[in-house]
Amino acid sequence: MEEPTGQVRMIIEGLKPEIDGGRFPIKRVIGERVSVEADIFVDGYDATSALLLYRKENDSEWAETPMEPLANDRWRGSFVVAELERYRYTILAWVDQFKSWRRDLTKKFQAGQEVSIELLVGAQLLTEASQRVPEPQGQKMKEWASTLHSTQAAEQAKVQLALSEELSELMDKYPDRRFATTYPKELVVVVNREKARFSTWYEMFPRSCAPESGRHGTFKDCKVRLPYIAAMGFDVLYFPPIHPIGHAHRKGRNNNPVANPDDPGTPWAIGSKEGGHKSVHPQLGTLEDFQGFVAKARQYGIEIALDIAFQCAPDHPYVKEHPEWFRWRPDNTVQYAENPPKKYEDIYPFEFETENWQELWEELKSIVLFWIEQGIRIFRVDNPHNKPFRFWEWLITDIKMSYPDVIFLSEAFTRPKVMYQLAKLGFTQSYTYFAWRNTKLELTQYFTELTQTEVREYFRPNLWSNTPDILTEYLQFGGRAAFMARLVLAATLGASYGIYGPAFELCENRPREPGSEEYLDSEKYEIKHWDIASPDTLKDFIARVNRIRRENPALHSDWSLRFHEIDNGQLICYSKRTDDLSNVVLVVVNLDPHHTQSGWVEFPLEELGIDPQKPYQMHDLLSDARYLWQGSRNYVELNSQVVPAHVFRMRRRVRTERDFDYYM
Amino acid sequence: MEEPTGQVRMIIEGLKPEIDGGRFPIKRVIGERVSVEADIFVDGYDATSALLLYRKENDSEWAETPMEPLANDRWRGSFVVAELERYRYTILAWVDQFKSWRRDLTKKFQAGQEVSIELLVGAQLLTEASQRVPEPQGQKMKEWASTLHSTQAAEQAKVQLALSEELSELMDKYPDRRFATTYPKELVVVVNREKARFSTWYEMFPRSCAPESGRHGTFKDCKVRLPYIAAMGFDVLYFPPIHPIGHAHRKGRNNNPVANPDDPGTPWAIGSKEGGHKSVHPQLGTLEDFQGFVAKARQYGIEIALDIAFQCAPDHPYVKEHPEWFRWRPDNTVQYAENPPKKYEDIYPFEFETENWQELWEELKSIVLFWIEQGIRIFRVDNPHNKPFRFWEWLITDIKMSYPDVIFLSEAFTRPKVMYQLAKLGFTQSYTYFAWRNTKLELTQYFTELTQTEVREYFRPNLWSNTPDILTEYLQFGGRAAFMARLVLAATLGASYGIYGPAFELCENRPREPGSEEYLDSEKYEIKHWDIASPDTLKDFIARVNRIRRENPALHSDWSLRFHEIDNGQLICYSKRTDDLSNVVLVVVNLDPHHTQSGWVEFPLEELGIDPQKPYQMHDLLSDARYLWQGSRNYVELNSQVVPAHVFRMRRRVRTERDFDYYM
């Protein structure tokens, strides 16, 4: 498509989606539509045509789909990404002489002007076109051209031919693209499987899974725990690192710098003489045990996610085998992790500025590949913001070339631009600030940014209500109602969300000390025994929420999220919907875990497909209560001591006496 | 600056200003500052440094100026464009090991930690640095390194040396940039002279300048008119085309398709056997007369702007000499301009899709160069949106390489994206929708878009109150007050503005027919005799407004424009200021030309440099009245039948009894 510069007149600009001038791909899951817009225009008054071009990255041929003008020189087209591949897209546009001619002929003819010369111009256009049009239509085109040229045919008949749909369609199919403009960039779509967009995560320490207290849990114990997790409706089970834990500078309970001999250490201090990132901690079992567990989980519809924590305990085999991958200090010790004046002497970071960076990169990639070979396709990446951006871009792109179904979750809690950058360069999902967004304004602003701006093209939020590092003040002080409210918020604001259990369902809320977000007696440093049979557990509530998620496709994605007015600052209201409005979910949450709150909800009925003249049913999927509402303004009241939320499915049609069947 | 990929860790993105990913340059005038911002960050916690690099396009070396962090990973730096050249700018950033070390040492030392190893690390950093640092400082660096390394020196003394300003400055000057990241694009600034930003235009038909009625005006008559124009304070005098006017299909008065033998025709129907675009219409005089006139105008501080109208009358010499530059129809006639069903048979557009486009482009450029050789440096370009965008980009870029002081004004009244595109690709100034923005909301929205968004980086508005084609309804029905209000709006909202006179100052407001924006007996088709000595003329008012513009630097640019609250929909209030607040102008205009309107103005005092505790003087530069105001809320009342506007200069300091001199 080389451009004969001087004769090329079209402008294509302002293309969206395009991240940072095309530097980064956008993301979709299989079967999703990519809607592309651009400003497309020409000098003067000529008619124009435009095509959206797209192809799988390895295909050499473009597929084409027409773009349609919206208003103000904006055009739109779309295509569906049907396969688990990288796609490319761009735009082709040209001045359409035939369309201009047809438009002008119509105007002149309607104004009663003489059009004989115009018809001769048309004959020329058709003669030229006949060279482009394959047979048998080429011959037809020639005949039409000679009719327009003929002195025999009546003008009326010629005009009818000139303006015929058949001619127009044929010219549209074989346009004159000699002077077409191609948008100068090819933009990329990375396609993933549906779980990249819709996933329900449970984090658990396998070592705490022994049914009896005081014993180190094993993968076999985890197998026994699977029905419990499946019953709650989770489809991803994430384990902190399962590798041998370092002994040197091991941390004791509650992060004590001195460990007792029986302290198990933190799983993130990876590596000892028992092995490194490709080994399994012996007390959990063998690699075969792990494989057996993964297979069992699959039977329950649960995928196992492993932790990628690229750092070493001082006794990790790498330290001796590859001293060049660490930063050495003048006293011949390795530089441990620090955030002065804090020191983390049990952790050695890799030195990514090493001259041997290429070998280091390859080795780290081999770790991911090792676990992929064990059947793992989901990785939660620990602190990716502490490793170079270019490393992640290379690693993820490379891995996804061979394994496009792999999902990487970025566990970066850091400044916003760093979090977005990691998402741009390839992470499939990302941790968010959700845990610290508690008020209506905070939630509204943050989730509007995540779902209604360009951010959504590359950043897929995964909303965690708690983690082993994050027990928020809201949970510490809000009691059971706070856990329920945060669960509903996470599960409905985010198509992907997660909890760290059993701490969450058991409403564990004791901090190490006032003002700390660390758990008291944190599982990070000791083996816990959780009473999962406790009558106070939220497991049934969680199971109900996750069933609602599964059954309502509106909750499987984030882009349709809209916040609605409600005249009480402690109540938040929002909806999600499917494109065809066949499924609309409206959520109201009482953010005050202590008191009953009430207010008037207001939302745009028509936009949600509801006839404002007719009553409609609001089916609360949490309580199974059904409310009859009418109009855009309705009353809600939520007692946090019972259930602090409504999750309504809107049912447009309310039966009347005109229906035969009185029972749904 | 080749990047050793794996060790390069910095990210530079979100650079502004950057138009369409760097596809287009930004614009500045000589002496202006270019402020550049970007998101600059690294993985982890290392300290970073960044430089803004800039150079004249023909220089091979970059100049460097440090960037400073703002918040949230945003950095800013700036440079001044001091010469009439194209500049380039980009950013260089690196991980600063010395800064990190210094920061961490400070924290550890303050926390009372042992720092002996840190000091040895510092000794290494200094030893490395001594290789980069030229003598004699290199030697000094080595000595410092050995002090840090020495077992003799006291720790306290070493820390003092390590944290010394002298060392810090030297390390800042010779940093370790081995792994620096360069922003991948070089962005361009086109620099023009000050008139590109601040100019006061008067449009006049030279043929209507004869002192007596009934005679074709000449350049010599125009000379006599110069003092009149200069007295009003205009510094650009723009002439419609001065070339021979075609005879074929010449239009008569009021656009009559049939001309009388004595009808002069429209100056935009260029070319006859008397010559084309490089010739002067014989009735105006000779080329020498024109040169003499231009020289005389220069003495009055007035620059002459010519009209570039790339189109031909049917009897233009080009039609015979270069038939390949036109579109021929099957009946061997040339395709005239049309907008079906309207026909403009006196105008032949060029066929830019011709295979001979290169010769056509060169010839059109030679026209511009011809008039540049006659001393012309300002061109008003007629309907540029009807010629290919790439042609203009080439023409303007090429001309400005040799003549960077040339100004091109784009006369495109068309869809917004087309108007912006023309500005992006090189036009210095642009006509706007100002003529049709009459209400407070319309003016506020439009001028906020033009002055407070990225648009201002490339689109310099030139506000015309009227043109020979545009007599707005507002002027038709608003009488003298409407002319005054629109003049003040144009002259204060726009650093560049223009009027078409003497129609404007004589308040000519009769349309050809109701609903038309054409003038009755339009000067486009006939010679007019204007009674410039009329007692009703606005010339003195215009002179006063233009003097206010000259004397108040706040009005010399548009970026400081801010609209302020006023509780009357017929009153509009806005301000402009210089960066140092030494000149602040506040304008209030009564948009209702028929009635007196009053209201309460409210504006942010502190932002405008006024102490809210003290009275301040509002000096109305139109009436010379001085008002004493206090606080942010003050009353104004404007009688349109007197003057429909205040143009206040805010004077911060009001004298009190504490001052010696009671008279200003």
Side-chain angles (χ1 to χ4, degrees), chain B residues 21-43:
Chain B
R23 165 73 180 82
F24 298 104
I26 62 164
K27 293 177 181 148
R28 290 294 184 277
V29 303
I30 266 198
E32 277 184 336
R33 186 166 286 280
V34 180
S35 178
V36 178
E37 289 189 8
D39 299 326
I40 301 178
F41 51 87
V42 68
D43 60 278

PDB file of all heavy atoms in Angstrom, chain B residues 21-43:
ATOM      1  N   GLY B  21       1.014  12.136  19.002  1.00  0.00           N
ATOM      2  CA  GLY B  21       2.165  11.246  19.098  1.00  0.00           C
ATOM      3  C   GLY B  21       3.414  11.798  18.440  1.00  0.00           C
ATOM      4  O   GLY B  21       4.288  11.050  18.007  1.00  0.00           O
ATOM      5  N   GLY B  22       3.511  13.118  18.350  1.00  0.00           N
ATOM      6  CA  GLY B  22       4.707  13.731  17.772  1.00  0.00           C
ATOM      7  C   GLY B  22       4.617  13.940  16.271  1.00  0.00           C
ATOM      8  O   GLY B  22       5.560  14.422  15.644  1.00  0.00           O
ATOM      9  N   ARG B  23       3.474  13.621  15.693  1.00  0.00           N
ATOM     10  CA  ARG B  23       3.303  13.798  14.242  1.00  0.00           C
ATOM     11  C   ARG B  23       3.393  15.276  13.833  1.00  0.00           C
ATOM     12  O   ARG B  23       3.854  15.594  12.743  1.00  0.00           O
ATOM     13  CB  ARG B  23       1.945  13.212  13.850  1.00  0.00           C
ATOM     14  CG  ARG B  23       1.393  13.596  12.485  1.00  0.00           C
ATOM     15  CD  ARG B  23       2.123  12.914  11.342  1.00  0.00           C
ATOM     16  NE  ARG B  23       1.551  13.335  10.058  1.00  0.00           N
ATOM     17  CZ  ARG B  23       1.851  14.442   9.419  1.00  0.00           C
ATOM     18  NH1 ARG B  23       2.735  15.277   9.934  1.00  0.00           N
ATOM     19  NH2 ARG B  23       1.284  14.747   8.261  1.00  0.00           N
ATOM     20  N   PHE B  24       2.949  16.160  14.726  1.00  0.00           N
ATOM     21  CA  PHE B  24       2.930  17.585  14.390  1.00  0.00           C
ATOM     22  C   PHE B  24       3.734  18.407  15.395  1.00  0.00           C
ATOM     23  O   PHE B  24       3.800  18.051  16.577  1.00  0.00           O
ATOM     24  CB  PHE B  24       1.490  18.106  14.366  1.00  0.00           C
ATOM     25  CG  PHE B  24       0.637  17.440  13.339  1.00  0.00           C
ATOM     26  CD1 PHE B  24      -0.302  16.489  13.707  1.00  0.00           C
ATOM     27  CD2 PHE B  24       0.785  17.745  11.997  1.00  0.00           C
ATOM     28  CE1 PHE B  24      -1.090  15.853  12.748  1.00  0.00           C
ATOM     29  CE2 PHE B  24       0.009  17.118  11.035  1.00  0.00           C
ATOM     30  CZ  PHE B  24      -0.932  16.173  11.406  1.00  0.00           C
ATOM     31  N   PRO B  25       4.315  19.516  14.926  1.00  0.00           N
ATOM     32  CA  PRO B  25       5.048  20.382  15.855  1.00  0.00           C
ATOM     33  C   PRO B  25       4.110  21.216  16.720  1.00  0.00           C
ATOM     34  O   PRO B  25       2.939  21.385  16.388  1.00  0.00           O
ATOM     35  CB  PRO B  25       5.850  21.302  14.926  1.00  0.00           C
ATOM     36  CG  PRO B  25       5.147  21.266  13.617  1.00  0.00           C
ATOM     37  CD  PRO B  25       4.387  19.979  13.535  1.00  0.00           C
ATOM     38  N   ILE B  26       4.647  21.715  17.821  1.00  0.00           N
ATOM     39  CA  ILE B  26       3.949  22.751  18.563  1.00  0.00           C
ATOM     40  C   ILE B  26       4.455  24.093  18.061  1.00  0.00           C
ATOM     41  O   ILE B  26       5.431  24.162  17.323  1.00  0.00           O
ATOM     42  CB  ILE B  26       4.160  22.631  20.090  1.00  0.00           C
ATOM     43  CG1 ILE B  26       5.645  22.781  20.451  1.00  0.00           C
ATOM     44  CG2 ILE B  26       3.630  21.307  20.594  1.00  0.00           C
ATOM     45  CD1 ILE B  26       5.885  23.068  21.917  1.00  0.00           C
ATOM     46  N   LYS B  27       3.771  25.175  18.468  1.00  0.00           N
ATOM     47  CA  LYS B  27       4.138  26.511  17.988  1.00  0.00           C
ATOM     48  C   LYS B  27       4.490  27.431  19.146  1.00  0.00           C
ATOM     49  O   LYS B  27       3.841  27.396  20.185  1.00  0.00           O
ATOM     50  CB  LYS B  27       2.963  27.112  17.213  1.00  0.00           C
ATOM     51  CG  LYS B  27       2.694  26.377  15.922  1.00  0.00           C
ATOM     52  CD  LYS B  27       1.488  26.935  15.191  1.00  0.00           C
ATOM     53  CE  LYS B  27       1.280  26.126  13.924  1.00  0.00           C
ATOM     54  NZ  LYS B  27      -0.118  26.030  13.553  1.00  0.00           N
ATOM     55  N   ARG B  28       5.466  28.246  18.924  1.00  0.00           N
ATOM     56  CA  ARG B  28       5.803  29.287  19.881  1.00  0.00           C
ATOM     57  C   ARG B  28       6.249  30.516  19.104  1.00  0.00           C
ATOM     58  O   ARG B  28       6.531  30.426  17.908  1.00  0.00           O
ATOM     59  CB  ARG B  28       6.961  28.847  20.791  1.00  0.00           C
ATOM     60  CG  ARG B  28       6.620  27.757  21.800  1.00  0.00           C
ATOM     61  CD  ARG B  28       5.631  28.219  22.853  1.00  0.00           C
ATOM     62  NE  ARG B  28       5.375  27.194  23.868  1.00  0.00           N
ATOM     63  CZ  ARG B  28       4.514  26.193  23.732  1.00  0.00           C
ATOM     64  NH1 ARG B  28       3.804  26.057  22.633  1.00  0.00           N
ATOM     65  NH2 ARG B  28       4.348  25.321  24.721  1.00  0.00           N
ATOM     66  N   VAL B  29       6.316  31.679  19.790  1.00  0.00           N
ATOM     67  CA  VAL B  29       6.970  32.830  19.175  1.00  0.00           C
ATOM     68  C   VAL B  29       8.276  33.071  19.923  1.00  0.00           C
ATOM     69  O   VAL B  29       8.493  32.565  21.034  1.00  0.00           O
ATOM     70  CB  VAL B  29       6.083  34.108  19.155  1.00  0.00           C
ATOM     71  CG1 VAL B  29       4.772  33.843  18.441  1.00  0.00           C
ATOM     72  CG2 VAL B  29       5.889  34.670  20.540  1.00  0.00           C
ATOM     73  N   ILE B  30       9.120  33.829  19.284  1.00  0.00           N
ATOM     74  CA  ILE B  30      10.455  34.094  19.828  1.00  0.00           C
ATOM     75  C   ILE B  30      10.383  34.561  21.272  1.00  0.00           C
ATOM     76  O   ILE B  30       9.565  35.411  21.611  1.00  0.00           O
ATOM     77  CB  ILE B  30      11.151  35.148  18.939  1.00  0.00           C
ATOM     78  CG1 ILE B  30      11.995  34.453  17.900  1.00  0.00           C
ATOM     79  CG2 ILE B  30      11.947  36.116  19.750  1.00  0.00           C
ATOM     80  CD1 ILE B  30      13.019  35.345  17.264  1.00  0.00           C
ATOM     81  N   GLY B  31      11.228  33.976  22.113  1.00  0.00           N
ATOM     82  CA  GLY B  31      11.298  34.413  23.503  1.00  0.00           C
ATOM     83  C   GLY B  31      10.332  33.690  24.418  1.00  0.00           C
ATOM     84  O   GLY B  31      10.403  33.857  25.634  1.00  0.00           O
ATOM     85  N   GLU B  32       9.436  32.883  23.852  1.00  0.00           N
ATOM     86  CA  GLU B  32       8.496  32.160  24.707  1.00  0.00           C
ATOM     87  C   GLU B  32       9.156  30.938  25.322  1.00  0.00           C
ATOM     88  O   GLU B  32      10.135  30.403  24.801  1.00  0.00           O
ATOM     89  CB  GLU B  32       7.252  31.732  23.911  1.00  0.00           C
ATOM     90  CG  GLU B  32       6.214  32.842  23.794  1.00  0.00           C
ATOM     91  CD  GLU B  32       4.947  32.384  23.098  1.00  0.00           C
ATOM     92  OE1 GLU B  32       4.997  31.416  22.315  1.00  0.00           O
ATOM     93  OE2 GLU B  32       3.899  33.011  23.323  1.00  0.00           O
ATOM     94  N   ARG B  33       8.549  30.486  26.400  1.00  0.00           N
ATOM     95  CA  ARG B  33       9.052  29.334  27.127  1.00  0.00           C
ATOM     96  C   ARG B  33       8.258  28.097  26.723  1.00  0.00           C
ATOM     97  O   ARG B  33       7.050  28.151  26.581  1.00  0.00           O
ATOM     98  CB  ARG B  33       8.906  29.603  28.626  1.00  0.00           C
ATOM     99  CG  ARG B  33       9.517  28.565  29.541  1.00  0.00           C
ATOM    100  CD  ARG B  33       9.616  29.096  30.968  1.00  0.00           C
ATOM    101  NE  ARG B  33      10.684  30.073  31.101  1.00  0.00           N
ATOM    102  CZ  ARG B  33      11.973  29.749  31.235  1.00  0.00           C
ATOM    103  NH1 ARG B  33      12.338  28.487  31.261  1.00  0.00           N
ATOM    104  NH2 ARG B  33      12.884  30.693  31.353  1.00  0.00           N
ATOM    105  N   VAL B  34       8.961  27.005  26.539  1.00  0.00           N
ATOM    106  CA  VAL B  34       8.317  25.717  26.309  1.00  0.00           C
ATOM    107  C   VAL B  34       8.427  24.917  27.592  1.00  0.00           C
ATOM    108  O   VAL B  34       9.522  24.585  28.031  1.00  0.00           O
ATOM    109  CB  VAL B  34       8.989  24.942  25.154  1.00  0.00           C
ATOM    110  CG1 VAL B  34       8.293  23.596  24.939  1.00  0.00           C
ATOM    111  CG2 VAL B  34       8.982  25.769  23.877  1.00  0.00           C
ATOM    112  N   SER B  35       7.293  24.642  28.206  1.00  0.00           N
ATOM    113  CA  SER B  35       7.280  23.877  29.448  1.00  0.00           C
ATOM    114  C   SER B  35       6.901  22.438  29.100  1.00  0.00           C
ATOM    115  O   SER B  35       5.877  22.202  28.479  1.00  0.00           O
ATOM    116  CB  SER B  35       6.258  24.510  30.397  1.00  0.00           C
ATOM    117  OG  SER B  35       6.188  23.766  31.580  1.00  0.00           O
ATOM    118  N   VAL B  36       7.764  21.520  29.474  1.00  0.00           N
ATOM    119  CA  VAL B  36       7.585  20.115  29.080  1.00  0.00           C
ATOM    120  C   VAL B  36       7.382  19.264  30.330  1.00  0.00           C
ATOM    121  O   VAL B  36       8.127  19.390  31.301  1.00  0.00           O
ATOM    122  CB  VAL B  36       8.823  19.612  28.303  1.00  0.00           C
ATOM    123  CG1 VAL B  36       8.672  18.148  27.926  1.00  0.00           C
ATOM    124  CG2 VAL B  36       9.055  20.474  27.065  1.00  0.00           C
ATOM    125  N   GLU B  37       6.361  18.435  30.294  1.00  0.00           N
ATOM    126  CA  GLU B  37       6.097  17.522  31.407  1.00  0.00           C
ATOM    127  C   GLU B  37       6.090  16.082  30.921  1.00  0.00           C
ATOM    128  O   GLU B  37       5.777  15.818  29.764  1.00  0.00           O
ATOM    129  CB  GLU B  37       4.733  17.818  32.042  1.00  0.00           C
ATOM    130  CG  GLU B  37       4.692  19.098  32.828  1.00  0.00           C
ATOM    131  CD  GLU B  37       3.393  19.229  33.625  1.00  0.00           C
ATOM    132  OE1 GLU B  37       2.614  18.254  33.673  1.00  0.00           O
ATOM    133  OE2 GLU B  37       3.169  20.309  34.178  1.00  0.00           O
ATOM    134  N   ALA B  38       6.414  15.171  31.815  1.00  0.00           N
ATOM    135  CA  ALA B  38       6.326  13.745  31.477  1.00  0.00           C
ATOM    136  C   ALA B  38       6.235  12.931  32.751  1.00  0.00           C
ATOM    137  O   ALA B  38       6.599  13.396  33.834  1.00  0.00           O
ATOM    138  CB  ALA B  38       7.544  13.309  30.665  1.00  0.00           C
ATOM    139  N   ASP B  39       5.723  11.714  32.607  1.00  0.00           N
ATOM    140  CA  ASP B  39       5.774  10.741  33.696  1.00  0.00           C
ATOM    141  C   ASP B  39       7.114  10.034  33.589  1.00  0.00           C
ATOM    142  O   ASP B  39       7.440   9.470  32.538  1.00  0.00           O
ATOM    143  CB  ASP B  39       4.652   9.715  33.563  1.00  0.00           C
ATOM    144  CG  ASP B  39       3.285  10.365  33.631  1.00  0.00           C
ATOM    145  OD1 ASP B  39       3.151  11.359  34.363  1.00  0.00           O
ATOM    146  OD2 ASP B  39       2.365   9.891  32.947  1.00  0.00           O
ATOM    147  N   ILE B  40       7.895  10.105  34.654  1.00  0.00           N
ATOM    148  CA  ILE B  40       9.235   9.516  34.651  1.00  0.00           C
ATOM    149  C   ILE B  40       9.379   8.679  35.912  1.00  0.00           C
ATOM    150  O   ILE B  40       9.194   9.193  37.015  1.00  0.00           O
ATOM    151  CB  ILE B  40      10.315  10.628  34.608  1.00  0.00           C
ATOM    152  CG1 ILE B  40      10.120  11.491  33.346  1.00  0.00           C
ATOM    153  CG2 ILE B  40      11.712  10.033  34.671  1.00  0.00           C
ATOM    154  CD1 ILE B  40      11.094  12.642  33.228  1.00  0.00           C
ATOM    155  N   PHE B  41       9.662   7.392  35.738  1.00  0.00           N
ATOM    156  CA  PHE B  41       9.758   6.537  36.930  1.00  0.00           C
ATOM    157  C   PHE B  41      10.564   5.288  36.641  1.00  0.00           C
ATOM    158  O   PHE B  41      10.854   4.960  35.492  1.00  0.00           O
ATOM    159  CB  PHE B  41       8.369   6.182  37.452  1.00  0.00           C
ATOM    160  CG  PHE B  41       7.434   5.635  36.407  1.00  0.00           C
ATOM    161  CD1 PHE B  41       7.407   4.276  36.099  1.00  0.00           C
ATOM    162  CD2 PHE B  41       6.567   6.477  35.723  1.00  0.00           C
ATOM    163  CE1 PHE B  41       6.533   3.773  35.133  1.00  0.00           C
ATOM    164  CE2 PHE B  41       5.701   5.983  34.748  1.00  0.00           C
ATOM    165  CZ  PHE B  41       5.686   4.634  34.455  1.00  0.00           C
ATOM    166  N   VAL B  42      10.915   4.611  37.733  1.00  0.00           N
ATOM    167  CA  VAL B  42      11.721   3.404  37.635  1.00  0.00           C
ATOM    168  C   VAL B  42      11.071   2.356  38.532  1.00  0.00           C
ATOM    169  O   VAL B  42      10.281   2.690  39.420  1.00  0.00           O
ATOM    170  CB  VAL B  42      13.174   3.701  38.077  1.00  0.00           C
ATOM    171  CG1 VAL B  42      13.249   4.003  39.563  1.00  0.00           C
ATOM    172  CG2 VAL B  42      14.108   2.560  37.711  1.00  0.00           C
ATOM    173  N   ASP B  43      11.398   1.102  38.305  1.00  0.00           N
ATOM    174  CA  ASP B  43      10.989   0.069  39.239  1.00  0.00           C
ATOM    175  C   ASP B  43      11.699   0.289  40.564  1.00  0.00           C
ATOM    176  O   ASP B  43      12.790   0.877  40.610  1.00  0.00           O
ATOM    177  CB  ASP B  43      11.347  -1.302  38.656  1.00  0.00           C
ATOM    178  CG  ASP B  43      12.844  -1.447  38.404  1.00  0.00           C
ATOM    179  OD1 ASP B  43      13.320  -0.967  37.359  1.00  0.00           O
ATOM    180  OD2 ASP B  43      13.525  -2.016  39.261  1.00  0.00           O
TER     181      ASP B  43
END
